[in-house]
Amino acid sequence: MTKPLNDLFSKYRSILNIRDVSLLIYSNVINNIVYNVSQFVLTILGFYTMSVFGVALVYVLYALSSMARLFSGVIIDVFGRERRALVINNALIAMLFLIAFLILTIMGINTLSLVLVLIVIVIGMSLYTMMGTIRSALIKDLLGNDNEKITLYTSLNNTLRSMISVFSTVVSGYLLFLSIHITKYLILSSAILSIIALAPPLILMEYHGRVTAGTNAQVIRRGFVRFGELFKGNIGFRAIILTVTVTYLLIISLDVLSYSILSLYYNVALLAGIDSLFGYAGATIGSMLTPRFRVSRLRVIYVILTMALIIGLGFGIIPMFIRSLVIAVPLLFMVNLIYNIFINAFFTAVGSTLISVVPRGEFGIVYSSAWVLFTASQIVSAVIWAFMGSVIGAPKAMIITMATGIMASLVFNTVYGKVSLKEEKDGVK
């Protein structure tokens, strides 16, 4: 049982023995503590104290995240120097959380202060998503665009992030359970951690990132043009974009349905914390397992996705046939755990592949353009399936969604399953 894991970590040590990569992982893990504590605080405050406003903020966060990813692509393609952009971004996040701390300190815990703090936190979390594109650009260069190294890095990074997320969610959840007034101290700790995460890239990282010859706004237009050219001419890139877009449309934004089902048994605010723990635990296992899958062909990715969808059917089937609180809740959370193993293995593989196949010259705009498309589909999905769930019931809507996803996955596997990502990557200039 332990031998496969020992072999896997030996592979990590032998291939990813790069100081700059280690520093980037460190910075990312620390920032992920900030993100998860803030996300948990946002969820508790939004759903528990102002339910309508909290739900609205979820959709605002999706939209801001989309714009932030696009803006990050503009920054690194127009101005270059990803390391500098990473440092500035972190400094802005720290400043926003300090502002949120001061608001709660001066105004106290009341409706107006919570509204202001929630808005500030949402902006800070959207800036966090911006750093994803910047880090991916650095990783692409640091690892020489080697698909195996990128997959290993993504898996290790996601594993560490998920492990620390479990810890940070438990701690922040327990502290908030003790008193809502601890909120401001959690926000202050997030600001301090954001500053701590600045130090390694600022002081130690040797690689500064690609430097452009000069500011050139034309690169934005060329980036979008290149995205279209890649989509038309590179079958591997097109397959990845279509797969992830359809996946988001069908399953990823269905948290509203799963919460609707599980809220039949639990308070939604409490559910958010418990559900996230299972999600992070599944993400840890899935990310650790990903390097053991050979993703030179897309078929492996589609098999992982199909398994996740089949397991996900349990979200709809269990509450339709089992009404007992004692039986249904443990089963639903177990399904959630297993589902997250497969879905996170899928996204680890897809994320690594997307980084690998996008050309470095227009990486910022092309990569962030893809994520803008994914985020847009996520928003559309949430609206569509929230309506469907209210009309026909969340369990039935979940079954329809998962069944549709399985059929779409099988179709993609038939059309694109034999595409070699390595060949497509080598064919991109």
Side-chain angles (χ1 to χ4, degrees):
M1 179 65 182
T2 58
K3 188 177 183 302
L5 291 179
N6 289 333
D7 293 342
L8 180 58
F9 282 107
S10 296
K11 197 173 186 180
Y12 280 130
R13 289 194 298 270
S14 63
I15 293 182
L16 296 179
N17 188 24
I18 303 172
R19 188 179 74 160
D20 285 351
V21 173
S22 301
L23 293 171
L24 207 56
I25 290 177
Y26 163 83
S27 176
N28 203 22
V29 167
I30 298 298
N31 274 294
N32 199 62
I33 299 176
V34 175
Y35 179 81
N36 282 282
V37 170
S38 304
Q39 186 179 46
F40 192 80
V41 170
L42 176 69
T43 303
I44 295 299
L45 293 182
F47 281 96
Y48 188 70
T49 63
M50 296 172 286
S51 58
V52 176
F53 188 75
V55 173
L57 275 179
V58 173
Y59 296 100
V60 173
L61 175 60
Y62 286 152
L64 285 177
S65 298
S66 178
M67 290 186 290
R69 286 192 176 105
L70 178 60
F71 188 56
S72 64
V74 173
I75 287 177
I76 64 176
D77 273 344
V78 174
F79 299 106
R81 290 195 179 276
E82 287 86 348
R83 192 192 75 163
R84 179 184 296 172
L86 191 65
V87 170
I88 293 173
N89 209 338
N90 245 56
L92 289 173
I93 291 175
M95 182 186 70
L96 285 168
F97 283 112
L98 284 174
I99 292 173
F101 169 74
L102 291 174
I103 290 173
L104 289 179
T105 301
I106 296 171
M107 299 180 62
I109 303 292
N110 55 62
T111 302
L112 178 59
S113 66
L114 288 179
V115 170
L116 294 175
V117 165
L118 286 172
I119 293 173
V120 171
I121 291 178
V122 165
I123 296 173
M125 291 172 68
S126 68
L127 289 177
Y128 175 86
T129 65
M130 181 187 294
M131 289 191 289
T133 301
I134 300 171
R135 286 197 180 91
S136 297
L138 281 168
I139 285 301
K140 189 176 180 69
D141 281 348
L142 289 173
L143 301 182
N145 204 41
D146 185 290
N147 195 46
E148 182 180 21
K149 291 182 180 180
I150 292 174
T151 301
L152 284 168
Y153 164 80
T154 307
S155 173
L156 178 60
N157 183 55
N158 288 349
T159 300
L160 294 174
R161 286 178 57 187
S162 301
M163 291 173 66
I164 203 68
S165 295
V166 174
F167 173 78
S168 58
T169 302
V170 170
V171 171
S172 58
Y174 176 72
L175 292 175
L176 281 173
F177 173 76
L178 294 178
S179 173
I180 194 173
H181 292 279
I182 294 177
T183 298
K184 64 180 180 181
Y185 299 110
L186 289 174
I187 294 173
L188 177 61
S189 66
S190 296
I192 295 172
L193 287 171
S194 294
I195 296 172
I196 293 174
L198 277 173
L202 181 63
I203 300 172
L204 300 174
M205 187 173 287
E206 297 174 352
Y207 184 74
H208 289 250
R210 178 177 57 89
V211 182
T212 58
T215 302
N216 184 4
Q218 290 298 315
V219 74
I220 301 174
R221 183 184 61 82
R222 291 202 304 268
F224 281 114
V225 171
R226 185 58 173 154
F227 178 87
E229 291 174 348
L230 273 175
F231 188 83
K232 293 178 181 178
N234 187 318
I235 190 172
F237 182 77
R238 180 168 66 248
I240 291 296
I241 296 298
L242 287 175
T243 300
V244 179
T245 301
V246 172
T247 301
Y248 269 121
L249 276 170
L250 293 173
I251 61 173
I252 300 304
S253 293
L254 291 181
D255 286 344
V256 63
L257 291 183
S258 62
Y259 282 153
S260 297
I261 293 171
L262 291 171
S263 63
L264 298 173
Y265 307 101
Y266 275 123
N267 175 279
V268 176
L270 175 63
L271 170 68
I274 299 174
D275 188 59
S276 64
L277 288 179
F278 276 78
Y280 291 137
T284 303
I285 300 171
S287 295
M288 290 174 66
L289 292 176
T290 302
R292 302 192 62 81
F293 299 112
R294 295 184 180 274
V295 291
S296 58
R297 292 183 183 274
L298 282 170
R299 179 157 290 171
V300 176
I301 294 177
Y302 291 126
V303 169
I304 298 172
L305 175 59
T306 304
M307 290 301 298
L309 291 164
I310 292 173
I311 295 167
L313 280 171
F315 279 115
I317 293 174
I318 290 174
M320 286 185 67
F321 291 98
I322 301 175
R323 298 294 180 178
S324 170
L325 171 68
V326 177
I327 300 175
V329 173
L331 285 177
L332 286 171
F333 281 129
M334 187 58 64
V335 167
N336 187 19
L337 175 63
I338 301 172
Y339 168 81
N340 269 279
I341 293 174
F342 283 91
I343 204 64
N344 279 282
F346 165 75
F347 274 110
T348 298
V350 166
S352 301
T353 303
L354 187 59
I355 293 173
S356 182
V357 300
V358 175
R360 182 63 182 94
E362 307 89 1
F363 182 85
I365 293 295
V366 171
Y367 186 76
S368 56
S369 296
W371 277 105
V372 169
L373 182 62
F374 300 155
T375 307
S377 64
Q378 197 172 20
I379 297 171
V380 171
S381 175
V383 173
I384 291 175
W385 292 105
F387 174 76
M388 289 287 290
S390 64
V391 173
I392 64 175
K396 292 181 180 178
M398 185 71 80
I399 291 175
I400 294 173
T401 308
M402 292 296 178
T404 306
I406 292 171
M407 290 187 287
S409 178
L410 294 175
V411 170
F412 280 137
N413 189 32
T414 302
V415 177
Y416 296 114
K418 296 182 179 180
V419 172
S420 173
L421 297 171
K422 187 176 187 302
E423 292 173 3
E424 289 296 326
K425 181 193 74 173
D426 294 340
V428 174
K429 302 297 182 184

